[in-house]
Amino acid sequence: GYRVLLQGNFFGRNHTYITFAEYNPRKHIKLDPPLNIQSNVTASKCQIRWSVPWYLVEILQYELQYKEYSMSWEIALNKTPPSSLPQIEIEATELRSGIAYIARVRCKVSENEDSYHSQWSEWSQTTVFQRPGVPKLSEKILNTRIMQFLFIPLSFGTLLYLFWNCKLSSRWQKASPALTFPRQLLSFSHSIICTMGILR
């Protein structure tokens, strides 16, 4: 620990002021911001990672800010990782499709740590990410629905065509003289045979 004094000449007289009677540097830390922030996006989530010195990993806590790229940081959303690991996940459902996002992170000593205390660090560099594959998926779903809507009337039209075709075919068969010809031929032959028998 240290004792911090402020000395100065005020109005022609020397004065000494005790600024901190007992100053302990480890209780007044301001950390460097996290480094190497990176994002890895899948269809279900966005994982954001960063780096801090290995000997600080277990005693730090973090705060992540993310927002739509075109928006102001004043309306950014904040997330706190559930553990001291230098990473966090954002569910895909929290992100709008087709929109670019930007994120940054800061750190400080955990409130549960007794040996050290600190204020928040400055914000880290940023990383940009976007929810992938959503427009293509929506287009695929849309195409599937269009095919379903087209399939129903086409199927109905095909069945209607087959029904009317069969019905007309059966009517044509009843009205066709070619189908009644064998009966007429048999009657005519029978008449000839009877006539020839009478003549004999």
Side-chain angles (χ1 to χ4, degrees), residues 55 96 111-112 125:
Y55 48 85
R96 295 171 58 195
E111 300 292 344
N112 299 324
Q125 297 294 317

Side-chain angles (χ1 to χ4, degrees), residues 26-27 29 59 109-110 113-118:
R26 66 180 181 177
K27 301 291 185 179
I29 299 171
I59 66 169
V109 175
S110 172
E113 178 63 37
D114 295 330
S115 300
Y116 300 93
H117 293 286
S118 76

Side-chain angles (χ1 to χ4, degrees), residues 6-197:
L6 176 63
Q7 294 180 338
N9 189 316
F10 301 97
F11 303 104
R13 300 178 63 182
N14 291 329
H15 292 276
T16 300
Y17 298 94
I18 300 176
T19 308
F20 292 97
E22 184 178 351
Y23 180 80
N24 192 337
R26 66 180 181 177
K27 301 291 185 179
H28 303 275
I29 299 171
K30 183 173 182 179
L31 298 164
D32 292 329
L35 301 172
N36 304 322
I37 182 169
Q38 299 176 353
S39 53
N40 181 27
V41 188
T42 65
S44 60
K45 62 186 177 182
C46 173
Q47 186 179 64
I48 300 177
R49 294 175 174 268
W50 53 89
S51 300
V52 293
W54 63 268
Y55 48 85
L56 296 176
V57 170
E58 294 184 357
I59 66 169
L60 296 184
Q61 69 182 63
Y62 307 96
E63 183 179 36
L64 178 88
Q65 270 193 344
Y66 71 99
K67 67 180 183 70
E68 294 183 15
Y69 192 85
S70 59
M71 297 297 183
S72 169
W73 283 112
E74 280 72 20
I75 59 173
L77 299 174
N78 290 23
K79 288 183 76 72
T80 303
S83 69
S84 62
L85 294 177
Q87 64 182 41
I88 194 171
E89 292 182 353
I90 303 174
E91 296 297 325
T93 53
E94 300 179 51
L95 307 174
R96 295 171 58 195
S97 61
I99 301 296
Y101 286 83
I102 186 170
R104 62 185 184 180
V105 66
R106 63 181 180 175
C107 63
K108 74 172 185 176
V109 175
S110 172
E111 300 292 344
N112 299 324
E113 178 63 37
D114 295 330
S115 300
Y116 300 93
H117 293 286
S118 76
Q119 58 180 302
W120 285 109
S121 71
E122 300 296 329
W123 290 103
S124 70
Q125 297 294 317
T126 58
T127 182
V128 178
F129 56 94
Q130 185 172 341
R131 183 178 175 184
V134 176
K136 293 183 179 179
L137 181 62
S138 299
E139 183 178 349
K140 185 176 180 181
I141 293 173
L142 181 61
N143 290 338
T144 303
R145 289 181 177 175
I146 290 174
M147 289 300 295
Q148 289 175 347
F149 285 128
L150 288 177
F151 179 77
I152 294 172
L154 285 175
S155 301
F156 180 75
T158 303
L159 290 174
L160 192 62
Y161 170 77
L162 291 173
F163 173 76
W164 281 106
N165 193 27
C166 292
K167 191 171 183 180
L168 289 174
S169 178
S170 62
R171 286 182 179 177
W172 182 79
Q173 288 177 359
K174 289 179 181 179
S176 175
L179 295 176
T180 58
F181 177 75
R183 293 181 180 177
Q184 294 174 355
L185 182 61
L186 289 175
S187 300
F188 180 71
S189 301
H190 180 72
S191 299
I192 292 176
I193 293 171
C194 291
T195 304
M196 288 179 64

